[in-house]
Amino acid sequence: MAMAIRSFLIFLFILSLTVPTFSLHEDQVGLMDWHQKYIGKVKHAVFQTQKTGRKRVLVSTEENVIASLDLRHGEIFWRHVLGANDAIDGIDTAMTKYAITLSSGGSILRAWNLPDGQMVWECFLQGPSDSKSLLFVPTSSKVDKDNTILVFGKGSLHAVSSIHGEIVWKIDFPSESFEVQEVIQHHDGNTIYVVGFVGSSQFDVYQINAKNGELLKHNSATIDGGFSGEVSLVSTAKLVVLNAARSTLLTISFQRGEISFQKTYISDLVEDFSGMAVILPSKLTGLFAVKTSTATAFISVSSEGKLEVVDKIMHATFISNALSISEDQQAFALVWHSDNEIHLNVKQVHDWNSDLLKERIKLDQQRGLVHKGKVVWSREDGLASIIGVTTSELPVEKEGVSVAKVELNLFEWLKGHMLKVKGSLMLASAEDVAAIQGMRLKSSEKSKMIRDHNGFRKLLIVLTKSGKLFALHTGDGQIVWSLLLNSLRQTEACKNPTGINVFQWQVPHHHAMDENPSVLVVGRCGTGTDALGIFSYIDTYTGKELKYFGLDHSVAQVIPLPLTDSTEQRLHLLIDANGQAHLYPRAPEAVSIFQRELSNIYWYSVEADKGLIKGHGLKSNCAGEAADNYCFGTRELWSIVFPSESEKIISTVTRKSNEVVHTQAKVIADQDVMYKYISKNLLFVATVSPKASGDIGSATPGESQLVVYVVDTVSGRILHRMTHHGSQGPVHAVFSENWIVYHYFNLRAHRYEMTVIEIYDQSRADNKDVLKLVLGKHNLSSPISSYSRPEVTTKSQSYYFTHSIKAIAVTSTAKGITSRHLLIGTIGDQVLAMDKRFFDPRRSVNPTQSEKEEGILPLTDSLPIIPQSYVTHSLKVEGLRGIVTVPAKLESNTLVFTYGVDLFFTRLAPSRTYDSLTEDFSYALLLITIVALVVAIFVTWVLSEKKDLSDKWR
């Protein structure tokens, strides 16, 4: 017996040291998660069609993605996501089998295999100075002919072999300010004309030998009045440009290198012209378009350079490039947007009056505005540029509709469970297996449009950079609704609207049956913090914009307050560029609630470029023109100035305002108690020396240091300061409960490190006597003030970490009972889950027996990477930018949403599903156990009866 007890205790000890992972069976992938691929907003597009093979379009996007799409269905054949600093400048095709991309300001040229997207070669281009970049690929009917690709970038013109990617020749132009506008190939193929501008008034033409890069001729001429820089090439030896005042068109001819000018006033071509004109981008022979304040004029250019208006269109129009339809004919398309329709008109370049095609295509009004092309299929690639995320509950189940009626009747329910039992016992036939799979799909609850009691089904409300709002179902990622916000559309009053973020506005609890929740979208009419603000309220069930309006003040900071009115609208405080605070919603009840809490509201501001952090409070109502009942003046309470010669702010992190902490006490191995210092007013700040503020390796270990602070944002008191010598950023950090984990680079060790800091309250250290606790002689219930000097102590530990990371977050649950896991977005665009026990600062090389029983792991110099702990499995979230965690109603579970160019959603159980049965629970084994117990009870009862009867006969 003693041996059995000893073995059982050893088993329990080994079990306590195990670390949970998130491994799944292959057939479970996709049951609790989903993954969606996107590319982003398209910048360039090249159509590529071969006689054999699929038709495709090659695109590059604002998210630095190069992709090949199926022209018939819009599916992604292949794609590559370049780095955040590797913006794509141009794309084209070469030899009908390579995709050519120019990126990084004209310094990197790549060739990709068109069918599968494999990179064929890569060429790095260098030059004397930064300049505009331009890609020119000569056309050739021969597939295997080695044409040279011409690239202007870094102030130089490069000729690169299209087969091998080797630089054939290079020209550095004499003037460093020379900006190439066009590269033109002569019809003989042996001569290249390079035209451009020097400064704002000089036009240059270079005639170059295409074979060896020899400069054959150089001419220049001065333009009176200067130019605007917009150019339209209308023939191989003629282009049109606007003067600096944008009121005159200059036709520049450079036949055989000789330069001549012709001036034409726009007022002579367009009646009632006023203001400034813009040349629309197009590549049409003998034709170009000029947009004025009243119309878009299409102007033809004769061989003598004479300009003539062929038509005027009163609405905004976009023009395609020319497409050859025969040896001597070209066509182009005009596209414009009207109400919910796209109008497409195809014309011949030299015959304006002939319409080859006229189409009107119905379009969902939430699809946005047309730029170029026609609609055959559509993709919601705005989801590749998410800038804000919040959640909303789904509707509750209406009265009179029970779950049984919605799902299955009793007979189907019994039949389904019988089939599952047969399948578990491997007694199911092929027909039974098919029926099981069909019933499993039919009875799937994850995509229902009603709430579930576990809180797994929710709506993810995401705001994109394009000003479009989406509602995604957490069950399968489907788009429930989408809305192109009226408030973020360009108008005369708001030329450049940009979204800031999306916030929860109204979350009905008491009136959940008859009121819908809503969200608040805040934006600006510009990119600066001094631009006027924009408000928009959206119903999260219907996707309708309830109300939108412009603000009469700027928006520098948005502060959601933990206060709600009687309609359950959440109060928000907006800080403008002048430091004044504005309360929303603008209602007397909101002001009354706010006034009661006025003295308890504090916030901070960070001016990283000035090395300054300030703490603010509120005072009486505003004075002056902005005075009203909803505007409040502010006062500066404290400030921290970091010396600019030694420190630069690179990162700040605070706790989530809605984080739940289950208990302040932490019982350690020797039955001692440590009390966590819990405060929502703490701020983590990381600074580096100015020389180390660049990329890794920009400073030597002796020149660099990383300093971290923990600051109380109410009093401005620095609670903790620590210096990492020979280290630098970037710093990614997460703040939860009383601990902070941050990631940085150690230059001395040439490795990444992660450090944990835990903060404990020493003022409650005496509350360990059980008798005092029973008698109530303790200070656990005494209030804590940020103005009283806290007695805190910290514990910290550092570990080496293998990966560079892009983002870091922590799991959150409804009650805060479940142990927390860190979610680390790695440089490989995957999400790694790590138990917080790995970051325990009390880890030691040889933990004591009591520490082992507590679950403290032995100390190692580096953190382990467990492959099964990747919550994204083998998938990638390309361009990963953020990780959002949302608690479910079931305490053991947390919902995780990861976004970048791609989207990924999953459900995690950091401490296993201790409060529910898992989906792979063996009901067959349970049934067998119950049957066995019933049989055992019956047999035991029969044997007992027989024994009693035999005893009575004795």
Side-chain angles (χ1 to χ4, degrees):
M1 179 62 70
M3 185 64 183
I5 294 175
R6 190 180 298 110
S7 300
F8 179 69
L9 291 176
I10 293 174
F11 170 75
L12 289 179
F13 170 67
I14 295 173
L15 187 64
S16 68
L17 293 180
T18 59
V19 178
T21 60
F22 301 100
S23 58
L24 295 174
H25 296 291
E26 185 179 0
D27 60 348
Q28 290 179 312
V29 176
L31 294 179
M32 296 186 297
D33 55 61
W34 46 264
H35 180 235
Q36 297 175 354
K37 294 183 178 181
Y38 297 99
I39 58 175
K41 184 180 178 181
V42 173
K43 293 196 303 184
H44 310 99
V46 177
F47 292 92
Q48 195 276 330
T49 305
Q50 297 178 346
K51 294 182 179 179
T52 59
R54 296 180 177 179
K55 297 181 179 180
R56 64 184 71 205
V57 57
L58 186 70
V59 299
S60 68
T61 72
E62 292 182 353
E63 304 300 324
N64 299 340
V65 177
I66 172 74
S68 177
L69 305 180
D70 187 336
L71 198 54
R72 291 188 176 92
H73 308 292
E75 298 173 352
I76 299 174
F77 283 134
W78 56 262
R79 65 171 183 165
H80 293 286
V81 182
L82 306 184
N85 300 321
D86 196 6
I88 300 174
D89 305 310
I91 62 172
D92 210 329
T93 59
M95 303 168 58
T96 69
K97 63 179 181 180
Y98 291 157
I100 306 298
T101 62
L102 179 66
S103 60
S104 292
S107 62
I108 303 178
L109 187 69
R110 298 181 179 96
W112 314 84
N113 193 30
L114 269 175
D116 58 12
Q118 295 295 318
M119 190 168 70
V120 181
W121 51 258
E122 184 177 44
C123 180
F124 295 92
L125 309 176
Q126 296 180 345
S129 61
D130 293 334
S131 65
K132 173 185 175 182
S133 58
L134 186 68
L135 173 65
F136 177 72
V137 180
T139 57
S140 175
S141 59
K142 296 182 179 180
V143 176
D144 296 327
K145 184 177 179 181
D146 186 8
N147 291 323
T148 54
I149 300 169
L150 300 175
V151 177
F152 176 73
K154 299 295 181 182
S156 302
L157 182 69
H158 301 79
V160 182
S161 168
S162 59
I163 293 180
H164 307 293
E166 299 175 352
I167 298 177
V168 180
W169 50 261
K170 172 186 173 183
I171 291 181
D172 295 327
F173 295 99
S175 175
E176 292 186 359
S177 61
F178 178 62
E179 291 286 344
V180 172
Q181 299 296 326
E182 294 287 347
V183 177
I184 306 158
Q185 185 180 27
H186 196 265
H187 59 81
D188 62 5
N190 297 322
T191 307
I192 296 171
Y193 290 96
V194 180
V195 298
F197 299 102
V198 176
S200 60
S201 60
Q202 181 177 318
F203 178 76
D204 283 31
V205 179
Y206 290 87
Q207 188 174 346
I208 300 170
N209 188 317
K211 301 296 182 183
N212 54 24
E214 179 187 356
L215 179 61
L216 303 177
K217 194 175 183 180
H218 172 218
N219 284 7
S220 64
T222 302
I223 302 174
D224 295 334
F227 64 95
S228 68
E230 296 169 0
V231 170
S232 180
L233 184 69
V234 293
S235 72
T236 56
K238 196 180 275 84
L239 56 83
V240 179
V241 65
L242 281 166
N243 71 342
R246 294 181 178 269
S247 60
T248 304
L249 291 168
L250 302 173
T251 306
I252 307 175
S253 300
F254 47 92
Q255 190 72 29
R256 292 183 296 276
E258 302 298 329
I259 303 173
S260 62
F261 301 99
Q262 282 184 265
K263 288 186 178 181
T264 305
Y265 295 103
I266 298 178
S267 58
D268 295 338
L269 300 173
V270 181
E271 295 180 0
D272 301 326
F273 168 74
S274 62
M276 295 187 295
V278 177
I279 295 179
L280 298 180
S282 63
K283 292 184 179 179
L284 305 175
T285 303
L287 189 69
F288 68 99
V290 174
K291 181 182 178 182
T292 67
S293 59
T294 58
T296 299
F298 290 86
I299 303 172
S300 65
V301 185
S302 66
S303 57
E304 295 81 18
K306 182 181 178 181
L307 305 184
E308 181 182 357
V309 177
V310 296
D311 198 2
K312 287 190 293 183
I313 299 177
M314 306 308 294
H315 42 70
T317 306
F318 300 92
I319 311 166
S320 74
N321 293 335
L323 176 67
S324 297
I325 56 177
S326 65
E327 291 184 0
D328 57 349
Q329 289 185 330
Q330 288 185 326
F332 69 100
L334 301 177
V335 184
W336 67 91
H337 191 278
S338 175
D339 296 328
N340 296 336
E341 292 181 334
I342 293 176
H343 296 262
L344 175 68
N345 196 351
V346 180
K347 292 177 175 288
Q348 289 190 37
V349 173
H350 298 294
D351 188 1
W352 181 268
N353 296 323
S354 66
D355 292 327
L356 300 179
L357 179 67
K358 294 186 74 173
E359 292 285 347
R360 297 173 65 183
I361 304 168
K362 287 287 185 181
L363 184 71
D364 182 358
Q365 62 180 352
Q366 307 304 335
R367 290 291 181 182
L369 299 178
V370 177
H371 285 255
K372 285 191 177 182
K374 64 178 182 178
V375 176
V376 178
W377 40 260
S378 63
R379 295 174 50 89
E380 291 288 7
D381 278 291
L383 287 168
S385 56
I386 292 175
I387 59 175
V389 181
T390 189
T391 59
S392 173
E393 294 290 346
L394 283 164
V396 295
E397 196 171 18
K398 301 298 182 182
E399 293 182 2
V401 181
S402 66
V403 177
K405 291 180 181 178
V406 174
E407 295 175 356
L408 300 170
N409 57 39
L410 181 61
F411 174 75
E412 291 176 335
W413 184 86
L414 292 172
K415 179 182 176 183
H417 278 278
M418 290 301 296
L419 287 172
K420 288 181 181 179
V421 171
K422 290 176 68 176
S424 300
L425 297 175
M426 298 182 181
L427 300 176
S429 62
E431 292 79 8
D432 292 337
V433 172
I436 292 170
Q437 292 175 346
M439 294 185 68
R440 185 178 184 183
L441 292 173
K442 184 179 178 180
S443 63
S444 176
E445 298 182 1
K446 68 178 186 178
S447 58
K448 285 186 176 181
M449 293 303 299
I450 57 174
R451 298 183 193 181
D452 62 309
H453 63 278
N454 289 328
F456 297 157
R457 294 195 295 263
K458 296 179 185 291
L459 290 178
L460 293 168
I461 311 298
V462 299
L463 176 66
T464 64
K465 191 164 57 176
S466 60
K468 194 168 184 179
L469 197 68
F470 293 86
L472 306 178
H473 197 295
T474 57
D476 54 6
Q478 65 172 305
I479 298 175
V480 178
W481 53 260
S482 63
L483 175 67
L484 190 63
L485 295 169
N486 291 310
S487 58
L488 295 180
R489 296 192 185 193
Q490 186 176 4
T491 62
E492 289 295 326
C494 188
K495 297 290 186 180
N496 186 23
T498 56
I500 298 176
N501 210 336
V502 57
F503 305 91
Q504 289 185 343
W505 177 252
Q506 187 176 21
V507 185
H509 294 94
H510 305 295
H511 309 283
M513 296 294 293
D514 49 19
E515 289 188 14
N516 294 353
S518 58
V519 294
L520 166 67
V521 174
V522 183
R524 297 189 186 101
C525 284
T527 56
T529 57
D530 57 346
L532 293 179
I534 304 169
F535 254 39
S536 182
Y537 307 111
I538 298 93
D539 187 315
T540 62
Y541 287 173
T542 63
K544 292 182 179 179
E545 196 165 12
L546 303 175
K547 186 180 179 181
Y548 66 93
F549 53 91
L551 306 180
D552 57 0
H553 57 82
S554 59
V555 179
Q557 193 173 354
V558 182
I559 306 173
L561 301 175
L563 306 171
T564 57
D565 60 14
S566 60
T567 63
E568 298 182 275
Q569 290 182 345
R570 188 170 184 180
L571 274 61
H572 287 70
L573 199 63
L574 272 65
I575 313 300
D576 64 22
N578 298 321
Q580 293 178 327
H582 304 266
L583 178 66
Y584 291 88
R586 297 200 162 203
E589 183 189 6
V591 173
S592 176
I593 296 171
F594 184 74
Q595 289 281 8
R596 292 196 296 267
E597 300 293 335
L598 188 70
S599 60
N600 296 324
I601 296 175
Y602 303 88
W603 74 94
Y604 67 93
S605 61
V606 179
E607 299 178 37
D609 54 338
K610 297 180 181 179
L612 181 63
I613 302 178
K614 295 180 181 179
H616 306 274
L618 293 170
K619 54 183 182 181
S620 59
N621 292 77
C622 298
E625 296 181 0
D628 59 36
N629 292 333
Y630 310 103
C631 179
F632 298 86
T634 62
R635 54 197 175 98
E636 183 180 320
L637 301 177
W638 55 266
S639 63
I640 299 176
V641 181
F642 297 94
S644 58
E645 64 276 5
S646 60
E647 293 185 66
K648 181 179 179 180
I649 300 173
I650 61 169
S651 180
T652 57
V653 176
T654 188
R655 279 183 58 198
K656 292 173 66 174
S657 60
N658 60 349
E659 184 183 52
V660 178
V661 180
H662 177 61
T663 178
Q664 186 183 2
K666 181 177 181 178
V667 181
I668 57 179
D670 55 0
Q671 304 304 314
D672 197 0
V673 179
M674 301 178 68
Y675 292 94
K676 306 172 186 175
Y677 186 77
I678 304 295
S679 173
K680 292 184 178 181
N681 300 317
L682 296 185
L683 174 69
F684 170 80
V685 182
T687 69
V688 293
S689 53
K691 289 185 178 180
S693 60
D695 295 333
I696 293 175
S698 59
T700 64
E703 297 172 329
S704 61
Q705 69 174 10
L706 171 68
V707 186
V708 298
Y709 302 83
V710 179
V711 181
D712 189 304
T713 58
V714 173
S715 64
R717 185 176 288 113
I718 297 176
L719 303 182
H720 180 67
R721 180 183 185 274
M722 185 164 62
T723 303
H724 300 272
H725 295 285
S727 299
Q728 70 172 118
V731 172
H732 297 274
V734 63
F735 200 146
S736 177
E737 293 190 350
N738 69 318
W739 52 265
I740 309 156
V741 173
Y742 54 99
H743 176 279
Y744 56 94
F745 189 77
N746 187 328
L747 289 170
R748 298 185 188 276
H750 303 285
R751 299 177 71 175
Y752 289 100
E753 283 187 359
M754 296 187 77
T755 296
V756 58
I757 299 173
E758 291 188 353
I759 310 169
Y760 293 95
D761 189 352
Q762 286 293 97
S763 64
R764 303 177 187 270
D766 295 334
N767 298 315
K768 301 174 184 178
D769 192 330
V770 177
L771 183 59
K772 287 184 177 180
L773 293 174
V774 172
L775 297 176
K777 296 180 178 180
H778 57 79
N779 63 347
L780 292 178
S781 59
S782 60
I784 299 176
S785 172
S786 291
Y787 284 110
S788 61
R789 188 173 185 87
E791 299 177 28
V792 299
T793 182
T794 60
K795 296 180 180 294
S796 62
Q797 184 67 268
S798 297
Y799 306 92
Y800 290 125
F801 190 68
T802 306
H803 298 295
S804 171
I805 69 174
K806 291 185 174 182
I808 185 171
V810 64
T811 57
S812 56
T813 55
K815 303 297 182 183
I817 300 172
T818 304
S819 62
R820 301 189 186 273
H821 277 54
L822 272 76
L823 302 174
I824 301 170
T826 67
I827 193 65
D829 291 323
Q830 292 185 294
V831 179
L832 176 69
M834 297 195 70
D835 196 322
K836 170 60 175 62
R837 289 194 294 163
F838 285 119
F839 299 90
D840 194 326
R842 296 188 298 123
R843 289 176 63 184
S844 59
V845 177
N846 296 309
T848 63
Q849 184 62 32
S850 58
E851 288 176 336
K852 290 179 181 179
E853 292 174 359
E854 185 187 345
I856 294 180
L857 303 174
L859 179 64
T860 56
D861 61 347
S862 60
L863 296 168
I865 305 297
I866 304 172
Q868 292 82 2
S869 294
Y870 282 99
V871 300
T872 48
H873 319 303
S874 60
L875 302 173
K876 282 188 175 184
V877 184
E878 295 284 4
L880 189 151
R881 292 193 304 274
I883 303 172
V884 178
T885 61
V886 181
K889 290 182 180 178
L890 198 63
E891 171 58 27
S892 63
N893 281 258
T894 181
L895 309 180
V896 180
F897 177 60
T898 308
Y899 62 91
V901 175
D902 295 346
L903 307 181
F904 179 82
F905 176 87
T906 191
R907 189 171 82 234
L908 298 182
S911 298
R912 306 294 181 94
T913 50
Y914 56 83
D915 51 359
S916 64
L917 296 177
T918 61
E919 293 185 0
D920 57 350
F921 179 78
S922 179
Y923 291 95
L925 182 59
L926 177 61
L927 182 61
I928 293 171
T929 304
I930 294 172
V931 171
L933 288 173
V934 172
V935 171
I937 292 171
F938 180 75
V939 171
T940 305
W941 176 76
V942 171
L943 294 176
S944 177
E945 289 294 318
K946 287 183 178 182
K947 185 177 183 299
D948 290 343
L949 184 60
S950 62
D951 289 342
K952 290 179 180 180
W953 278 103
R954 290 180 182 178

